[in-house]
Amino acid sequence: MRETTPQQDLLRGVWRENPVLIQMLGLCPALAVTNTVANSLAMGVATFFVLCGSSLLVSLFRKLIPAAVRISTYILIIATFVTIADMSLEAIVPTVHKALGAFIALIVVNCMILGRQEAFASKQPVGRALLDAAGTGFGFMIALFLMGAVREVLGSGTFLDVPLFGPNYEPWVVMILPPGGFLTLGFLLMIISWRERRRAQREPVATGEAA
Amino acid sequence: MSGAVPSWRLVATLSSGGACAGLLLVIVFQATLPAIEAHKAKMLRLAVQEVLQEPDRTETLYRYEGKLTAKLPDGVDGRKLERVFLGFKQDGSAVGFAVVGARPGFQDVVRIIFGYDATSKRILGMKVLESKETPGLGDKIEKDKGFVAQFKGALPPLVRRRRGQDGGEGALDAITGATISSQTVFRIINDTLERLAPELEAYMAAQR
């Protein structure tokens, strides 16, 4: 791997390699729980916590974990953090926990988290692994927030439960139902790839990285 | 792959990892349990207050050996028994019972609590405790104020009101687009009362 600066470690996951919008990882929670802004943010925070905690431990013990059992060990570490997040959310914000339901437990199988352990944290010192995890986790949060904001504003006419359009607004119920998740994600990806293409056309020299 | 790692190291890694994870989880579980239990108890208390229209005080009754009783014999753990709550007005007269019931709805189990006056045999109110019904449609069983309000004063058994029919005092309107979720609520109340109404009425008769 090429040498990168700490800023690059941190910022890479936020936008240029955003886990949901660019790498298309972790789409299950991005589609399932983004029907309100509050749920999206809670999911983002829980995933951020799990990702940072797991990266820290995986990086810390990277020389002790034999390669043959590395995936099982990562899953064990991730599952522990997920269960901690699950119980803490239930104790601290029970209403959000109720709304997210089974999707908190399903953070375990979020391939974005396992991907960061396998591709980065297991090969890098603790500091860099943490920066990378924080960046990726924050990028995930941004993507979920965008989805949640679009879906709640259109689907319920509210933002964080504050009504925006007055009583005559007829909500697009489909936006908070599962199809709305696919529609929103599709439009977001369309806008992003359209911008990428425009940028590539303007500076034809910068090739090799795009794919 | 080096292949030189002895298998005892693989076993040791996984088992020590598992042991640490288990220990950590026990600590977090112990730390969060009081808050979780307290919140559940609080939600139940609020729901009892709501469906019985703010009684002055409530009494917890346990269903033990086919009867309702306020006092359990020594050595019986009340937390494992089914409970109903009896509300009283300020003058000491009984308002009615708050009863919890559940059954599978459109997605997952729906749990509700409802108030029941065993003397007039009417419903006092209904509140959904737990449901994962479809957002925007089925979840109206808890969010649609009109749907929730019509339970007050209804005379069970409850049925869905059909178009152009009056249907009597047990006929309630289902939610458009959420017929199954609506009927689940009706059925929970009907089934629970079928099971418990004789015991509730017997308890009231014994009090007089």
Side-chain angles (χ1 to χ4, degrees):
Chain A
M1 190 174 274
R2 268 173 284 129
E3 265 317 299
T4 49
T5 63
Q7 287 95 322
Q8 282 174 313
D9 282 339
L10 180 67
L11 294 177
R12 189 178 40 216
V14 176
W15 192 253
R16 286 299 302 278
E17 293 179 22
N18 186 291
V20 176
L21 301 173
I22 308 291
Q23 300 186 60
M24 316 253 170
L25 294 175
L27 293 188
C28 166
L31 290 168
V33 299
T34 51
N35 51 0
T36 68
V37 175
N39 288 358
S40 309
L41 286 179
M43 190 65 182
V45 171
T47 311
F48 183 89
F49 164 75
V50 173
L51 187 55
C52 290
S54 313
S55 283
L56 171 73
L57 285 195
V58 167
S59 173
L60 204 59
F61 295 119
R62 67 188 186 282
K63 299 209 172 93
L64 291 175
I65 300 171
V69 291
R70 67 186 193 285
I71 302 284
S72 345
T73 317
Y74 301 161
I75 290 289
L76 182 67
I77 292 172
I78 296 169
T80 310
F81 279 104
V82 169
T83 315
I84 292 174
D86 190 19
M87 292 193 273
S88 314
L89 280 176
E90 189 171 5
I92 302 164
V93 278
T95 45
V96 174
H97 180 269
K98 203 179 147 198
L100 294 182
F103 288 101
I104 298 174
L106 286 174
I107 298 176
V108 178
V109 288
N110 188 330
C111 45
M112 174 190 89
I113 296 177
L114 189 61
R116 288 334 286 166
Q117 311 312 322
E118 173 74 2
F120 201 86
S122 59
K123 301 179 182 121
Q124 304 293 343
V126 174
R128 293 191 62 194
L130 267 182
L131 282 176
D132 174 73
T136 311
F138 192 59
F140 186 73
M141 230 188 276
I142 291 176
L144 256 62
F145 174 77
L146 282 177
M147 300 258 316
V150 172
R151 292 180 69 186
E152 187 180 333
V153 167
L154 294 179
S156 310
T158 58
F159 185 82
L160 284 171
D161 282 336
V162 181
L164 294 180
F165 303 122
N168 289 328
Y169 179 72
E170 180 63 37
W172 306 7
V173 176
V174 69
M175 293 307 279
I176 52 172
L177 294 177
F182 287 98
L183 282 173
T184 311
L185 185 65
F187 276 110
L188 279 179
L189 294 179
M190 193 178 77
I191 293 168
I192 285 166
S193 64
W194 174 71
R195 280 194 43 186
E196 281 292 305
R197 190 171 298 182
R198 286 244 314 217
R199 213 169 50 111
Q201 276 170 355
R202 248 181 283 142
E203 34 184 317
V205 202
T207 49
E209 255 190 294
Chain B
M1 283 288 170
S2 60
V5 183
S7 55
W8 67 263
R9 261 202 67 196
L10 306 184
V11 176
T13 308
L14 280 180
S15 40
S16 52
C20 294
L23 188 70
L24 195 59
L25 289 184
V26 168
I27 295 169
V28 177
F29 179 77
Q30 296 282 2
T32 51
L33 190 65
I36 293 172
E37 297 267 288
H39 177 258
K40 277 190 183 151
K42 188 181 148 212
M43 292 315 282
L44 187 65
R45 215 163 43 236
L46 287 178
V48 168
Q49 289 290 319
E50 191 177 322
V51 296
L52 295 181
Q53 276 100 42
E54 312 294 328
D56 193 51
R57 65 183 181 89
T58 56
E59 193 175 274
T60 307
L61 303 176
Y62 301 92
R63 193 157 173 253
Y64 183 63
E65 291 180 341
K67 268 195 339 209
L68 289 172
T69 167
K71 280 209 187 81
L72 286 169
D74 289 339
V76 179
D77 187 359
R79 281 172 298 184
K80 292 191 180 122
L81 298 173
E82 188 176 351
R83 290 177 297 177
V84 300
F85 307 90
L86 179 57
F88 295 93
K89 285 186 207 138
Q90 206 153 14
D91 58 15
S93 64
V95 186
F97 295 95
V99 189
V100 177
R103 87 179 259 134
F106 191 68
Q107 310 266 11
D108 199 350
V109 172
V110 176
R111 263 182 86 227
I112 66 163
I113 185 165
F114 62 93
Y116 176 69
D117 181 349
T119 318
S120 70
K121 301 192 179 174
R122 283 178 189 273
I123 307 286
L124 297 167
M126 185 281 294
K127 185 176 170 61
V128 176
L129 292 175
E130 221 177 287
S131 108
K132 294 193 174 67
E133 300 302 284
T134 322
L137 296 169
D139 70 347
K140 285 191 187 162
I141 57 171
E142 48 186 319
K143 291 184 179 153
D144 187 324
K145 292 197 178 79
F147 178 76
V148 175
Q150 62 179 341
F151 284 87
K152 189 177 178 188
L155 189 69
L158 304 177
V159 291
R160 177 162 67 97
R161 182 178 290 138
R162 313 224 172 228
R163 199 156 60 150
Q165 285 176 3
D166 177 38
E169 290 187 278
L172 301 181
D173 291 320
I175 294 163
T176 310
T179 314
I180 295 179
S181 304
S182 313
Q183 280 193 321
T184 302
V185 178
F186 300 161
R187 283 200 194 121
I188 294 172
I189 294 182
N190 292 345
D191 292 356
T192 312
L193 282 182
E194 196 174 309
R195 200 163 50 86
L196 289 181
E199 290 172 31
L200 299 178
E201 281 154 25
Y203 186 84
M204 286 309 290
Q207 295 297 299
R208 251 177 257 127

